[in-house]
Amino acid sequence: MVKFDCGWYVLYVKSCWEKKVHESLKEISLESFLPQVKAIRQWSDRKKVIMKPLFPSYVFVYINSSLGFHKALSVNGAFSYIRFGKEYARVPEKEINQVKLLTGDESIEEMEITTQRPRVGEIKTITNGPLEGLDCEIIKVNNQNKIIVRIESLQQNILVTVPLYSIGA
């Protein structure tokens, strides 16, 4: 029997199957979250804006029973739960809400995932706009103002370009 606490877990899924797994989880009444970002695809004759997963091959699923834990794994395209050592990766509700804020903000111009730790900078709270209350670290990359939001439970970071006016003094 798998020992777990209720909460958000991370399913590792087949490459390019994130949307299918997300929909399948919803069909079997499991709450899931697939953060997506806009990306521009360039073809020889045109450009197209597409939505792509923020975390490739990851789908977040809220588990509140051992039955739900096993049902999620039975979905076509789901391989396993992400683990760090012997512990299953659990994402706190606060981090899920931060990712939802970031992916839902239309004013964000660019977003990328990085596992690199930037040099320690100032920790600020965004004071204006839809990201108000979000804790972030301010960094400079190529003279652009960027923030980094750490998703500690996944050992990953979200790097975002935001307007300078939205960051508190």
Side-chain angles (χ1 to χ4, degrees):
M1 184 63 106
V2 176
K3 182 185 179 298
F4 69 93
D5 295 319
C6 292
W8 289 97
Y9 288 81
V10 186
L11 267 180
Y12 180 70
V13 302
K14 192 185 284 189
S15 181
C16 299
W17 277 59
E18 299 91 351
K19 292 175 187 174
K20 294 173 194 146
V21 169
H22 173 62
E23 290 301 320
S24 296
L25 289 167
K26 289 193 310 187
E27 286 173 11
I28 60 172
S29 301
L30 288 175
E31 185 178 357
S32 69
F33 173 51
L34 176 61
Q36 297 182 78
V37 294
K38 290 179 187 173
I40 297 174
R41 272 281 155 81
Q42 175 74 52
W43 282 274
S44 60
D45 61 337
R46 67 190 190 287
K47 289 182 182 180
K48 184 176 180 180
V49 176
I50 62 163
M51 295 300 286
K52 69 176 193 169
L54 180 60
F55 300 99
S57 296
Y58 287 5
V59 175
F60 300 92
V61 60
Y62 189 83
I63 301 296
N64 57 13
S65 71
S66 57
L67 177 62
F69 187 88
H70 295 291
K71 275 175 62 176
L73 276 178
S74 71
V75 168
N76 193 18
F79 284 134
S80 63
Y81 287 98
I82 298 295
R83 296 169 77 142
F84 294 108
K86 294 182 179 182
E87 298 291 318
Y88 288 103
R90 280 196 54 227
V91 182
E93 189 80 32
K94 179 182 179 181
E95 290 182 355
I96 291 290
N97 290 335
Q98 287 182 331
V99 174
K100 285 180 179 180
L101 272 172
L102 288 169
T103 55
D105 186 350
E106 296 292 323
S107 69
I108 291 177
E109 299 166 16
E110 295 177 45
M111 193 177 305
E112 62 187 82
I113 292 295
T114 175
T115 56
Q116 294 177 336
R117 294 277 186 179
R119 281 183 257 145
V120 176
E122 272 188 301
I123 304 299
K124 295 281 191 176
T125 300
I126 295 181
T127 57
N128 298 312
L131 300 179
E132 185 174 335
L134 185 69
D135 294 329
C136 59
E137 181 176 339
I138 309 302
I139 60 174
K140 291 268 188 181
V141 178
N142 298 331
N143 292 326
Q144 293 181 329
N145 293 305
K146 295 195 178 216
I147 63 168
I148 191 161
V149 178
R150 299 191 191 288
I151 308 299
E152 296 294 343
S153 58
L154 296 179
Q155 299 175 4
Q156 302 223 9
N157 306 302
I158 302 173
L159 190 64
V160 181
T161 303
V162 294
L164 188 57
Y165 66 82
S166 65
I167 301 168

